[in-house]
Amino acid sequence: MDLVFFAQDCINGVLMGLIYGLVALGLTLIFGVLKVINFAHGSFIMVGMYVSYWAVTLTGLHPYLALGIIVPAMFLFGYWIQNLLIRPIFIAERDVREPITVIVVTTGMWYVLDNLALLVFGPDYRALSPNPLKGQMLNFGEIFISVPKLYGAAAAVATAGLLFWFLQKTRMGRAIRATSLDRDAASLMGINQWKIFNIAMGIGTAVAGVAGAVLTPFYNVYPTVGIPFDVKSFVIVVLGGLGSIWGALVGGVIIGLVESIGPIFMTSTWTEAIVYGLFLLVLFVKPSGLFGQKHDW
Amino acid sequence: MTQNELKRNCLIGLALAAFALPLVVSSPTYLHILIMLFLFAYMTTSWNLVGGFAGVLPLGHSVFVGIGAYTSTVLWLQYGVSPWIGMIIGGLLSAAVGYLIGKPTLKMRGAYFALSTMAFVEGVRVMVENIDMLGPFKLNGPRGLNIPPLPAQEAGFWSFQFATKEPYYYIALTMLILVLALTYYISHSKFGYYLKSGGEEPEAAQALGVNVASCKVAANVLSAFLTSLAGTFLAQLTLFIYPKSVLTLDLSFELAFIALIGGRGSIAGPVIGALLLRPVSEFSRIYFSDTLPGLHLIILGVVLIVVMLYQPRGLTEPLLGLFDRITAGFIRKPQEDTV
């Protein structure tokens, strides 16, 4: 085995892993505040990819400039979904910390969104066009790096940093953190927890939109595109610790490395089984993940 | 006649009507729809043992369907073992898997348990898709296994193959009635009470000396065994199985959806859920699958969301309430203690 190939696989794994981390970031943020797992997260990624596909196709903007359209649209989408569908459950099941009904409703959303996309856009695989990043490669000696993936990884780190800053330093971020620590105490301090929940869901969905925009330049868009990302996001957030921003990125990189280095030793389809095995192992051994807080589990 | 007697008579009447139905319905298409309805009611009732009574949300029951389907098919194709025996072997295998996977996962809380069952079924599907030969057993990877149909005169009870749909109908109906009776027995037994108490208030149940974790594992083992039998039936009905047909999240989710819409934790819930949802699935698949693909899943999702928002305990309770109100005029003396 050639060392150059190995280095190439490692770089690819890290880049793709950071993008996976970005994909899972919205999920972990929503969990951190609402303490529920959004099973429709993959569908939110899918919606984000379609929004970015249409934003680029209709306006001809650069995919990264189109974020100016995608992020607000996705924020409103998440805010609206939370307000319409999930808030009533929280109100109805006030005393349950982690109502199972929310899992069910988000699973229902997953089905509705995926199949609505199938109904409206058809089963076609759509590639972004105009796509200024298409197939671009950076070349260092014998190592090739895909430009859209490099940008995507940079966007992942930037988004995570921005989110971290927002949660730590701004007034709204402090209110969100207070709500995630203790809803009732936060309410007593004059924080409107329903508004915080809506905003947290909106931000989580907007981050899913960023992930969608990052993915579309090198990944086809189709109605069920969310499913592989859905299950992968669950694996990543559990690995990194539910609710932890940096945990999501680290978890993503681990999965990315397994997927890119694994095929050297075995058939590439087997790596997927290894990812699930790893996931179950973490759940059995350390369910709070690498960076999760004990009481969240 | 009291309310309870009326209900019992209605149930007996329904069962008799179900047995007599093939005399009237002869179209294989409609019989197939009914068979699938019974089969889904059966699988959901099995799911309900752990998903309903034990108060967790398993989203990986298709693993057991897959084990049942693959075990009996492999044994029949390679060794000529009757699918009936394969059914039992598959069931025992599923029960063992149900124990091994239930033991660590059932200790987890809601979402973690749901996630781990999902990951398990996806992992098993990926593995089966990658394995052509598992030791001496031929699984044939993603291409699946085809059971060559026997000529009509050789088909029969031993080979679990029938030229007409009627025998399948009666087998499915019998399976459903038996599993319902078993659920009724369990829900009125000590084990059933332990299970329900552990599902609703685990801490309180533990304080009273109920071993909640082992009750849940036992329920999972039983549920795995029963679900697996349906897998064998499904394989013999369709004569073709592949990983994406029996080992999918879609199947697992459909079982959970039927139970949740019908009313998890009630005996009638899965049957009512299947009665309401299967026809929607089948007919929209028959009539709209070309023009409006995925319509039945949209309907399923919307119904699920609406039911969860307005009747989080499922549709069985309001429907039974309606039944009581309608029949209140026919009975002599309504009793206080009606269920």
Side-chain angles (χ1 to χ4, degrees):
Chain A
M1 191 184 63
D2 210 323
L3 206 62
V4 175
F5 280 123
F6 189 71
Q8 167 96 52
D9 283 333
C10 281
I11 291 170
N12 255 334
V14 171
L15 293 183
M16 203 54 215
L18 285 170
I19 295 171
Y20 284 152
L22 176 62
V23 167
L25 205 54
L27 186 67
T28 205
L29 180 79
I30 291 169
F31 180 87
V33 182
L34 278 79
K35 307 293 177 218
V36 295
I37 293 192
N38 174 17
F39 273 61
H41 187 70
S43 302
F44 284 9
I45 300 283
M46 180 273 295
V47 173
M49 287 177 80
Y50 269 105
V51 170
S52 96
Y53 171 83
W54 285 112
V56 171
T57 309
L58 295 179
T59 63
L61 282 172
H62 187 281
Y64 282 79
L65 286 178
L67 278 173
I69 305 170
I70 298 160
V71 168
M74 291 298 286
F75 178 86
L76 289 177
F77 178 66
Y79 191 99
W80 174 74
I81 289 251
Q82 164 73 21
N83 202 34
L84 186 76
L85 297 179
I86 300 178
R87 197 173 58 116
I89 304 170
F90 273 108
I91 293 173
E93 300 191 30
R94 257 217 150 97
D95 41 340
V96 191
R97 184 163 174 271
E98 198 181 294
I100 229 168
T101 322
V102 176
I103 306 180
V104 179
V105 168
T106 51
T107 315
M109 268 153 44
W110 164 356
Y111 267 65
V112 173
L113 288 175
D114 277 18
N115 290 292
L116 262 183
L118 179 67
L119 203 64
V120 177
F121 301 119
D124 317 340
Y125 282 54
R126 292 160 192 267
L128 201 63
S129 77
N131 185 357
L133 295 172
K134 190 179 177 186
Q136 280 188 31
M137 288 283 180
L138 278 181
N139 191 347
F140 297 103
E142 288 180 62
I143 296 176
F144 292 88
I145 296 173
S146 152
V147 171
K149 284 187 187 172
L150 187 66
Y151 283 8
V157 176
T159 311
L162 203 63
L163 211 55
F164 189 73
W165 170 82
F166 171 76
L167 289 176
Q168 295 295 327
K169 298 292 175 198
T170 63
R171 211 176 144 75
M172 178 57 80
R174 287 201 193 96
I176 290 177
R177 278 192 297 142
T179 313
S180 89
L181 284 176
D182 191 327
R183 284 168 203 178
D184 299 329
S187 296
L188 289 174
M189 296 300 118
I191 295 170
N192 180 352
Q193 60 164 327
W194 304 118
K195 201 175 150 200
I196 295 293
F197 284 176
N198 289 354
I199 287 173
M201 190 77 168
I203 295 175
T205 315
V207 173
V210 176
V214 161
L215 285 169
T216 31
F218 63 91
Y219 211 95
N220 282 329
V221 187
Y222 52 96
T224 53
V225 67
I227 291 175
F229 289 116
D230 208 12
V231 183
K232 219 163 266 171
S233 311
F234 296 151
V235 178
I236 289 166
V237 292
V238 169
L239 204 62
L242 270 165
S244 158
I245 291 178
W246 302 109
L249 288 191
V250 174
V253 170
I254 293 174
I255 300 297
L257 283 174
V258 169
E259 281 193 351
S260 68
I261 298 179
I264 303 175
F265 306 104
M266 67 201 96
T267 336
S268 63
T269 32
W270 269 106
T271 56
E272 213 180 324
I274 289 189
V275 169
Y276 294 123
L278 197 66
F279 173 61
L280 288 175
L281 193 75
V282 172
L283 274 178
F284 296 159
V285 179
K286 195 173 185 301
S288 57
L290 297 173
F291 297 93
Q293 282 148 337
K294 196 82 192 151
H295 65 262
D296 276 344
W297 142 252
Chain B
M1 204 162 43
T2 64
Q3 192 93 22
N4 278 341
E5 279 170 359
L6 180 75
K7 269 185 194 155
R8 199 186 57 212
N9 290 345
C10 279
L11 279 180
I12 293 172
L14 268 178
L16 287 177
F19 270 104
L21 204 60
L23 300 176
V24 189
V25 180
S26 55
S27 146
T29 316
Y30 287 111
L31 273 181
H32 185 84
I33 292 176
L34 286 167
I35 293 169
M36 291 305 277
L37 197 159
F38 292 153
L39 191 68
F40 270 84
Y42 170 88
M43 286 194 281
T44 311
T45 308
S46 315
W47 181 93
N48 205 24
L49 280 175
V50 38
F53 295 133
V56 289
L57 189 70
L59 291 177
H61 257 50
S62 58
V63 161
F64 307 126
V65 178
I67 292 175
Y70 267 96
T71 308
S72 68
T73 308
V74 166
L75 289 177
W76 168 250
L77 289 179
Q78 283 181 261
Y79 305 101
V81 178
S82 163
W84 289 100
I85 298 171
M87 198 180 207
I88 302 296
I89 297 175
L92 294 175
L93 205 60
S94 287
V97 173
Y99 178 79
L100 289 177
I101 190 71
K103 190 86 184 154
T105 53
L106 279 162
K107 286 185 197 137
M108 299 173 190
R109 277 215 318 241
Y112 285 89
F113 176 75
L115 282 180
S116 59
T117 49
M118 261 174 76
F120 187 63
V121 68
E122 279 296 281
V124 170
R125 179 181 60 76
V126 172
M127 275 196 256
V128 173
E129 282 183 345
N130 280 293
I131 297 174
D132 276 345
M133 300 291 289
L134 181 70
F137 308 118
K138 188 177 178 212
L139 299 184
N140 214 11
R143 294 173 299 286
L145 295 169
N146 205 351
I147 306 174
L150 292 174
Q153 64 273 17
E154 283 176 42
F157 189 74
W158 179 250
S159 62
F160 208 139
Q161 281 189 32
F162 307 99
T164 56
K165 291 276 182 197
E166 277 85 358
Y168 290 113
Y169 178 90
Y170 285 114
I171 294 170
L173 183 58
T174 314
M175 279 167 75
L176 175 61
I177 290 176
L178 287 179
V179 80
L180 285 174
L182 181 71
T183 315
Y184 182 82
Y185 173 75
I186 287 178
S187 74
H188 289 79
S189 72
K190 211 171 174 181
F191 175 60
Y193 293 134
Y194 281 176
L195 207 54
K196 274 190 238 175
S197 65
E200 279 165 20
E201 289 287 344
E203 283 86 7
Q206 271 169 335
L208 291 172
V210 177
N211 190 340
V212 173
S214 68
C215 273
K216 284 184 179 175
V217 173
N220 200 42
V221 168
L222 185 62
S223 171
F225 177 83
L226 293 170
T227 313
S228 173
L229 306 186
T232 302
F233 182 89
L234 196 64
Q236 294 306 125
L237 180 70
T238 55
L239 296 180
F240 177 47
I241 54 168
Y242 55 102
K244 284 222 162 71
S245 76
V246 289
L247 279 168
T248 56
L249 282 180
D250 277 352
L251 180 58
S252 307
F253 279 174
E254 194 165 355
L255 298 184
F257 285 3
I258 289 174
L260 288 158
I261 291 173
R264 62 203 286 243
S266 74
I267 300 169
V271 183
I272 290 180
L275 269 174
L276 293 174
L277 292 180
R278 282 309 297 173
V280 175
S281 300
E282 296 283 357
F283 283 109
S284 58
R285 217 174 305 188
I286 293 172
Y287 293 113
F288 300 117
S289 63
D290 307 332
T291 46
L292 303 169
L295 181 69
H296 72 280
L297 291 173
I298 297 180
I299 297 175
L300 209 64
V302 170
V303 170
L304 185 76
I305 294 173
V306 171
V307 168
M308 281 299 117
L309 288 181
Y310 294 102
Q311 284 290 341
R313 295 175 61 83
L315 292 177
T316 303
E317 268 177 32
L319 283 177
L320 283 183
L322 191 69
F323 176 84
D324 283 349
R325 232 177 305 151
I326 291 172
T327 54
F330 299 112
I331 53 177
R332 265 184 294 138
K333 206 174 77 186
Q335 283 194 340
E336 293 273 311
D337 60 334
T338 48
V339 186

